[in-house]
Amino acid sequence: MSLKIYLLRHGETVYSQRGAFCGSLDPDLTAEGKAMAQAFADAYRSLTWSAVFVSPMQRAIATAQPLCDALSLTMQFRPGLEEISYGAWEDQEQDYVNQHHAQDYLRWQTDPAWNPPTGGETAMQIAARALPVITEIQTQHKTGNVLLVSHKATIRILLCSLLGIDLGRYRDRINALAASVSVIKFTEYGPMLEVLGDRNHLPEQLRQRAGT
């Protein structure tokens, strides 16, 4: 048996509905986001879980809560799993950022690995704080299923890092919609992607909701 890490993005928030930048802001889930979290718990409670690692942000905790409550699992909070900081772009939509931070926005779009949002974090910085959590999981759990609940950019950066994809392309190569789950299996040859951005655990009306 191998180690599998399930990377679950939090459910819907008002910011994912608006398409506005939300990194260090700490909103709760919407009612639909809470339904997404419950749907994940209902679909995955039959698995045997070795551990649950969670970003200490409210929207991630609320997403992990239904499964942890159902199975009496303890959340292990890791700040390294928090979302990217968008700095001056927080709470703004893309059109506003393009108008008021045009040069930074262009550089970020061109290569977010090294170019941060104005006053925010680069993808390299996210990888530097998030990958040690993966190493910790691998050290503690040689086999079994581990749940990791995090955020859109952080999950995409982790997946690119593990799969050898240029971090400057994380926004172009990987998507992670609200409440989607991706699965990495660790084999003798390294990390292998088994599932990417799956949302089949969600009812149709939740899968069809607009948002990022």
Side-chain angles (χ1 to χ4, degrees), residues 1-206:
M1 184 178 178
S2 302
L3 169 65
K4 289 187 179 183
I5 299 181
Y6 291 70
L7 297 97
L8 173 64
R9 184 189 170 194
H10 64 77
E12 179 190 280
T13 70
V14 292
Y15 290 95
S16 65
Q17 268 287 288
R18 281 176 51 199
F21 290 103
C22 174
S24 56
L25 297 176
D26 198 16
D28 199 354
L29 301 179
T30 62
E32 290 79 9
K34 292 176 181 178
M36 290 176 177
Q38 186 62 55
F40 175 83
D42 293 343
Y44 283 88
R45 62 183 297 164
S46 61
L47 287 184
T48 300
W49 295 99
S50 300
V52 180
F53 288 76
V54 182
S55 158
M57 306 190 89
Q58 186 171 213
R59 55 196 184 273
I61 295 170
T63 300
Q65 198 73 60
L67 181 71
C68 290
D69 287 348
L71 300 178
S72 298
L73 298 169
T74 300
M75 296 186 207
Q76 300 186 51
F77 300 115
R78 296 295 183 273
L81 299 178
E82 290 180 4
E83 180 61 303
I84 184 173
S85 170
Y86 287 108
W89 302 0
E90 297 280 349
D91 196 32
Q92 305 299 332
E93 297 179 11
Q94 291 185 11
D95 287 346
Y96 176 92
V97 171
N98 193 29
Q99 291 174 19
H100 292 81
H101 304 280
Q103 290 302 314
D104 284 351
Y105 187 55
L106 178 60
R107 283 191 287 265
W108 180 72
Q109 286 188 310
T110 302
D111 188 355
W114 299 100
N115 295 292
T118 308
E121 293 179 290
T122 66
M124 295 297 293
Q125 290 173 304
I126 302 307
R129 63 171 166 80
L131 281 171
V133 182
I134 300 295
T135 301
E136 179 186 0
I137 292 171
Q138 289 181 276
T139 300
Q140 293 182 6
H141 305 280
K142 302 301 183 184
T143 63
N145 302 308
V146 172
L147 179 63
L148 184 156
V149 185
S150 188
H151 308 266
K152 185 176 185 179
T154 304
I155 287 174
R156 293 196 289 179
I157 290 165
L158 277 173
L159 289 173
C160 285
S161 298
L162 293 169
L163 299 173
I165 299 171
D166 178 5
L167 287 186
R169 303 270 63 83
Y170 83 87
R171 300 179 63 250
D172 307 322
R173 300 291 182 264
I174 301 288
N175 201 2
L177 297 175
S180 65
V181 62
S182 299
V183 182
I184 293 283
K185 178 180 179 180
F186 291 84
T187 75
E188 59 183 312
Y189 303 108
M192 180 175 68
L193 181 66
E194 287 202 327
V195 176
L196 177 62
D198 181 57
R199 301 210 302 171
N200 284 325
H201 52 279
L202 299 181
E204 181 70 15
Q205 70 271 20
L206 293 178

